[in-house]
Amino acid sequence: MLKKWLQNSNYTVVFTGAGMSTESGLPDFRSSNQGLWNKKDPSKIASTDALNNNVNDFISFYRERVLGVKEYSPHKGHYILADLEKQGYVKSIITQNVDGFHQQAGSKNVAELHGTLQTVHCQSCGEVYSSQEYVDKEYYCTCGGILRPSIILFGETLPQDAFQFALEESRKSDLFIVLGSSLSVTPANQFPLIAKEMGAKLVIINREKTPFDYYADQVIRDQAIGKVLAGLDM
């Protein structure tokens, strides 16, 4: 069914969440046993308040995350999506993930709703650097400001450019495919509903149930994303 819909679609948009990254080996945030938030309180370590008032713990936590991302790489599912984009089947990707794996695999039209761990930038002047700075334990800009990962912290709003791009793509889609998202985080979880309201078919591929399975035209559970995508054989 999904393959036929993809072949007949004029505008397919893909939405990816933590489940896409965990297939590369990265830990997620909210799983009941391995989630990062079971080890750290996000309000105390991944927030603007921590950046301003608890900078040493903030830097220590995010250096660990930067190093973690560099230990892994895109899996076959990322490469299949990039290939589907090259073939014209997939128009864009909206992602909640911050690992940058979609771009590494070759995808071009990607909206990173929560930013990226691939770069850091100066909290004072905005200068952008590679996240290699954190690997090398270089935490300060030439202007003297603190370097921070280019991700959205608790207490910050989503980047407007990425949000508007995602909104427009959702409205234009006639097939909207969710890959590995619990659809529990707002406002990101509204994009599948917006697509559905505009008449798109909605497909949800996720290990566990989501709050929006009821609205989906097809739900696939208990299958690896990479395996499902490979089975499309486009």
Side-chain angles (χ1 to χ4, degrees):
M1 188 185 304
L2 177 56
K3 181 176 180 177
K4 182 178 180 181
W5 287 348
L6 190 57
Q7 289 173 327
N8 294 334
S9 169
N10 292 315
Y11 212 97
T12 295
V13 174
V14 174
F15 180 96
T16 65
M20 190 76 189
S21 294
T22 55
E23 288 191 23
S24 286
L26 284 172
D28 69 2
F29 284 84
R30 295 175 172 81
S31 67
S32 58
N33 52 359
Q34 296 294 324
L36 288 175
W37 293 151
N38 290 321
K39 303 173 183 177
K40 302 284 186 179
D41 182 343
S43 65
K44 294 180 179 178
I45 205 68
S47 63
T48 52
D49 182 65
L51 175 61
N52 294 323
N53 301 306
N54 195 11
V55 68
N56 289 335
D57 284 348
F58 176 91
I59 287 174
S60 176
F61 174 72
Y62 275 108
R63 182 173 187 271
E64 184 180 337
R65 287 205 64 198
V66 167
L67 289 172
V69 165
K70 291 185 180 297
E71 289 180 10
Y72 301 97
S73 57
H75 60 76
K76 64 181 179 181
H78 290 100
Y79 289 102
I80 291 170
L81 288 180
D83 189 53
L84 289 174
E85 181 184 359
K86 290 175 185 175
Q87 294 182 63
Y89 289 112
V90 169
K91 299 302 182 184
S92 61
I93 295 173
I94 303 167
T95 187
Q96 297 172 289
N97 300 331
V98 295
D99 47 50
F101 288 168
H102 285 300
Q103 292 92 329
Q104 286 184 19
S107 293
K108 303 297 183 185
N109 297 319
V110 182
E112 294 177 306
L113 294 177
H114 298 153
T116 179
L117 283 172
Q118 294 295 332
T119 63
V120 298
H121 66 271
C122 178
Q123 180 73 355
S124 299
C125 74
E127 182 74 18
V128 177
Y129 297 78
S130 165
S131 59
Q132 185 65 33
E133 297 291 311
Y134 262 45
V135 176
D136 297 336
K137 297 185 178 181
E138 299 290 343
Y139 305 125
Y140 291 91
C141 177
T142 53
C143 78
I146 296 172
L147 296 181
R148 51 158 289 183
S150 301
I151 61 170
I152 305 306
L153 303 174
F154 287 87
E156 295 181 322
T157 58
L158 298 185
Q160 278 304 301
D161 287 350
F163 183 85
Q164 287 300 322
F165 177 82
L167 182 60
E168 292 168 9
E169 292 297 287
S170 299
R171 287 171 172 167
K172 287 191 289 188
S173 69
D174 58 14
L175 176 61
F176 195 99
I177 304 173
V178 176
L179 300 177
S181 175
S182 63
L183 298 177
S184 60
V185 178
T186 57
N189 64 356
Q190 297 305 298
F191 295 119
L193 292 184
I194 291 169
K196 183 68 177 174
E197 288 172 357
M198 296 299 291
K201 284 187 172 64
L202 175 60
V203 177
I204 299 176
I205 302 171
N206 195 55
R207 291 282 189 181
E208 300 173 352
K209 293 181 180 180
T210 82
F212 300 145
D213 287 356
Y214 174 81
Y215 302 103
D217 297 277
Q218 184 179 12
V219 176
I220 299 174
R221 295 197 199 106
D222 300 323
Q223 290 190 50
I225 295 168
K227 183 177 180 180
V228 173
L229 293 177
L232 294 174
D233 192 28
M234 303 292 284

